[in-house]
Amino acid sequence: MDEIIKVFSNYAWGLPLVILLIGGGLYLIIRSKFLPFRYLGHAIQVLLGKYDNPDDVGEISHFKALTTALSSTIGMGNIAGVAVAISVGGPGAMFWMWVSAIVGMSTKFFTCSLAVMYRGKDSEGNIQGGPMYFITEGLGKNWKPLAVMFSVFGMVGALPVVNVNQLTQAINDIVLTPNGFEVGLKSNLILALILVAFTSLIILGGLKRISNAASKMVPSMVLLYFVLVLFILISNYQVIPKYFIMIFENAFSGKNYNDEAFYGGVLGGLILLGVRRGAFSNEAGIGTAPLVHGAAKTNEPIREGLVAMLGPAIDTLIVCTLTALAILVTGVWETTESNGVSLTANAFEHAIPFYGKYLLMVCVLVFSISSLFSYAYYGAKCLSFLIGANKKHFYNYIYILSIILAATTPFTTMLNLIDGVFALMAIPTMIATIILAPKVIIEFKKYIAKL
């Protein structure tokens, strides 16, 4: 099964998908003449509530929409995903994650603007946003197969299998094994059942409870993680320039570290790895963020697009870079066989003996649990589109069962499964976004004139 899923994932992440994600993103940047990037300051004002209107259509504020979206992206993509990228592709992989983030900012602006521009109604008459709605509302009913494709794969892509798997690994490696506890199927099942109980309490309460939890948990954990990594970097400040230069040097050398057989030391393989890990980290172009940004309280689609654009900047350009530098400056990427969250834990333990790994454990715990809430909402919306809003609660039961599966399955299997499904979600999202891009630009120009 592990081998089949690996082949599926590598096939899905072929050259056509990279061209669609990166080429499509570059097209959107050029087509908009860098317009979204020129309004970054305005995006921050919108995020801070300067333009909030409680009478606007929608369920949650701009700030809660962004923190709910970030609660799904800031987490294992930043802590485990970056570690995977460096252990497989070396420091150069980080450069291509940056490229995917800058391109992803533009993609996210367009996809999340469309999510508000073309909000549809579910079977109960409630206003909804997301790729399946902007495909059917913006392109017409003839394009519904694309919307169905997104929803089917979206239900699998929203399963929390990577987060749960890495949270279980972190608890085993950081807390249980060092303290003499026996780790195995039994301990993993106990952890899974605790997570099931906690997740059920939140996700059965709906979007408002999810966004309230995320808006309180995410900013404080990002701040704690930020402080911890800055401490590691200050402690090793003398080697930061060396590794920063190495990121740029290795980005074009195609030099590869631990997986010659798979990537063959080819530059194209390194670019593919960076883009793949970047997409896993910030989800730009995949279509998950528009599901929550489409629920924002606003009558101005462009405002929500600008707020959403901040996501990849916070997620990949800031948080992923901090993680990468922490792993590089401590040298653990060269001295250990660990991968995923365990490699990041080694970096924290190296720089902050004893306390480091436990503080990372707190961040991992909150990042993982907050992302559990957001993904449940995403999957339920996909099921609602397919079989009706009155049956969407059935997704929660599938979701809760997947937590038990993820806690007892190898990391690579779960990562490859979600990677492959994300690739298939990106196809309908990017095709529709590229076709509808001119309409977003017209809307942007109207918005600027009003502003």
Side-chain angles (χ1 to χ4, degrees):
M1 183 59 73
D2 189 30
E3 199 54 40
I4 290 166
I5 290 172
K6 184 178 179 181
V7 170
F8 153 69
S9 180
N10 292 338
Y11 185 76
W13 274 96
L15 189 61
L17 186 80
V18 176
I19 290 169
L20 185 64
L21 265 181
I22 298 297
L26 286 170
Y27 162 77
L28 295 173
I29 289 175
I30 294 160
R31 186 80 176 72
S32 64
K33 298 176 182 169
F34 293 86
L35 210 54
F37 293 93
R38 291 187 246 157
Y39 284 82
L40 272 171
H42 178 62
I44 292 164
Q45 288 180 327
V46 174
L47 177 66
L48 296 175
K50 188 176 175 183
Y51 298 90
D52 282 2
N53 181 352
D55 299 325
D56 281 349
V57 175
E59 288 185 75
I60 52 176
S61 69
H62 294 292
F63 180 75
K64 283 187 177 177
L66 183 66
T67 51
T68 305
L70 282 174
S71 74
S72 66
T73 59
I74 291 186
M76 286 307 158
N78 308 85
I79 295 172
V82 173
V84 168
I86 290 173
S87 62
V88 173
M94 194 60 228
F95 176 84
W96 297 107
M97 285 182 74
W98 290 339
V99 170
S100 83
I102 292 163
V103 171
M105 286 175 74
S106 174
T107 306
K108 228 166 210 184
F109 165 75
F110 278 88
T111 56
C112 294
S113 294
L114 286 168
V116 178
M117 274 174 77
Y118 295 105
R119 288 201 259 216
K121 287 188 177 176
D122 62 21
S123 59
E124 292 179 342
N126 298 315
I127 289 174
Q128 300 286 358
M132 59 284 225
Y133 292 102
F134 69 65
I135 289 168
T136 50
E137 300 293 320
L139 296 176
K141 300 294 179 199
N142 292 339
W143 292 81
K144 194 171 180 181
L146 267 190
V148 170
M149 177 186 175
F150 174 83
S151 300
V152 169
F153 291 116
M155 286 194 302
V156 182
L159 294 175
V161 289
V162 172
N163 287 299
V164 171
N165 182 285
Q166 284 294 276
L167 178 57
T168 308
Q169 186 181 319
I171 293 169
N172 287 340
D173 291 356
I174 296 169
V175 181
L176 300 182
T177 306
N179 291 300
F181 289 94
E182 191 180 330
V183 169
L185 182 63
K186 186 180 171 184
S187 65
N188 288 347
L189 278 173
I190 292 167
L191 289 172
L193 291 171
I194 293 167
L195 282 175
V196 162
F198 194 68
T199 307
S200 304
L201 280 174
I202 300 284
I203 65 173
L204 301 175
L207 176 63
K208 286 213 167 85
R209 197 183 285 179
I210 291 169
S211 65
N212 283 336
S215 65
K216 289 179 179 69
M217 292 165 82
V218 174
S220 54
M221 277 309 103
V222 170
L223 187 64
L224 173 60
Y225 189 70
F226 197 77
V227 169
L228 291 174
V229 177
L230 281 180
F231 177 81
I232 294 172
L233 297 183
I234 291 165
S235 307
N236 297 275
Y237 72 92
Q238 66 276 17
V239 294
I240 292 174
K242 170 189 157 187
Y243 285 110
F244 217 80
I245 292 163
M246 194 183 282
I247 288 172
F248 287 92
E249 285 177 349
N250 291 156
F252 299 96
S253 68
K255 188 179 178 186
N256 206 305
Y257 288 81
N258 296 334
D259 207 349
E260 292 289 339
F262 181 68
Y263 288 107
V266 178
L267 177 60
L270 189 61
I271 295 170
L272 184 61
L273 175 70
V275 172
R276 189 164 159 175
R277 294 279 63 83
F280 179 72
S281 167
N282 60 52
E283 294 172 22
I286 306 300
T288 49
L291 291 168
V292 71
H293 283 288
K297 256 187 187 304
T298 184
N299 293 331
E300 295 286 0
I302 298 305
R303 271 185 201 154
E304 198 51 37
L306 288 169
V307 168
M309 183 178 72
L310 298 171
I314 297 166
D315 179 280
T316 308
L317 297 180
I318 298 173
V319 185
C320 284
T321 303
L322 289 172
T323 304
L325 287 172
I327 291 168
L328 293 172
V329 300
T330 52
V332 294
W333 62 290
E334 291 178 301
T335 58
T336 174
E337 291 297 309
S338 297
N339 200 347
V341 71
S342 301
L343 180 62
T344 312
N346 288 341
F348 276 66
E349 172 73 359
H350 184 276
I352 313 168
F354 185 73
Y355 296 107
K357 61 182 181 180
Y358 292 112
L359 289 167
L360 177 67
M361 184 68 243
V362 174
C363 294
V364 166
L365 192 66
V366 174
F367 286 154
S368 298
I369 289 172
S370 63
S371 64
L372 288 181
F373 310 152
S374 311
Y375 279 122
Y377 172 70
Y378 295 161
K381 275 189 86 159
C382 291
L383 186 64
S384 166
F385 180 81
L386 292 170
I387 63 169
N390 60 332
K391 299 184 189 75
K392 69 180 179 184
H393 61 281
F394 289 123
Y395 183 78
N396 290 334
Y397 307 123
I398 302 165
Y399 190 85
I400 285 163
L401 282 173
S402 78
I403 292 175
I404 298 168
L405 172 76
T408 54
T409 314
F411 172 49
T412 51
T413 308
M414 295 294 95
L415 186 63
N416 284 328
L417 173 68
I418 297 302
D419 269 352
V421 173
F422 269 15
L424 297 175
M425 289 165 68
I427 294 167
T429 304
M430 288 302 294
I431 289 171
T433 303
I434 289 164
I435 295 169
L436 291 167
K439 294 188 177 181
V440 178
I441 293 163
I442 291 165
E443 188 74 21
F444 201 166
K445 287 175 179 170
K446 283 187 201 167
Y447 178 72
I448 292 165
K450 264 196 280 184
L451 199 66

